[in-house]
Amino acid sequence: LQLTTDMDTWIRNKRVQRDLLGSFEQRSVRTVVFRQALSGFPDGEYGVLVMECRFEKKQKGLEILSLGKDPYDQWRVISYDLR
C-alpha cells in the first residue's frame, strides 16, 4: 500500500468515500483466507479478510482487507477496498 499511494492521499480518498456512506453501523467477518500468492504481489504469506459492513446510507457493503507478512514476520496492510 505504501508503494502505491502516499498516506495523506489514501486517508483523504477513504475519508471522502466513507463520508458519502454516512456513519458506520456494523461489521462482521465473512471469510478469512491465507495464501502463498496474491495477484499483483510477489510470492509470500498473505491473508485476505472479507467483512460485511453496514453504514447509515449503505445497508450492504463489503470491506476487503489484504495483509502481507514483511521481512520481520509482521503482518502489514497491503490493500483495503470498500464496495
Side-chain angles (χ1 to χ4, degrees):
L1 191 57
Q2 292 174 350
L3 298 176
T4 59
T5 308
D6 70 89
M7 186 172 20
D8 291 336
T9 300
W10 188 86
I11 290 171
R12 187 173 41 255
N13 291 343
K14 291 303 171 189
R15 186 170 289 142
V16 168
Q17 183 182 27
R18 292 286 291 264
D19 287 348
L20 292 172
L21 299 176
S23 61
F24 172 80
E25 294 181 352
Q26 183 178 342
R27 175 183 294 125
S28 61
V29 176
R30 180 194 258 182
T31 59
V32 177
V33 178
F34 292 96
R35 303 177 175 178
Q36 298 301 312
L38 194 61
S39 180
F41 295 94
D43 290 347
E45 292 186 64
Y46 298 98
V48 179
L49 289 80
V50 177
M51 298 166 282
E52 295 176 346
C53 56
R54 186 171 71 219
F55 295 88
E56 177 184 9
K57 298 176 186 173
K58 183 170 183 69
Q59 293 300 302
K60 285 188 147 190
L62 285 179
E63 291 177 297
I64 303 168
L65 181 67
S66 299
L67 306 169
K69 273 200 175 176
D70 69 14
Y72 305 103
D73 213 28
Q74 298 294 311
W75 288 103
R76 304 285 180 198
V77 174
I78 57 173
S79 71
Y80 170 83
D81 190 25
L82 175 59
R83 299 177 187 173

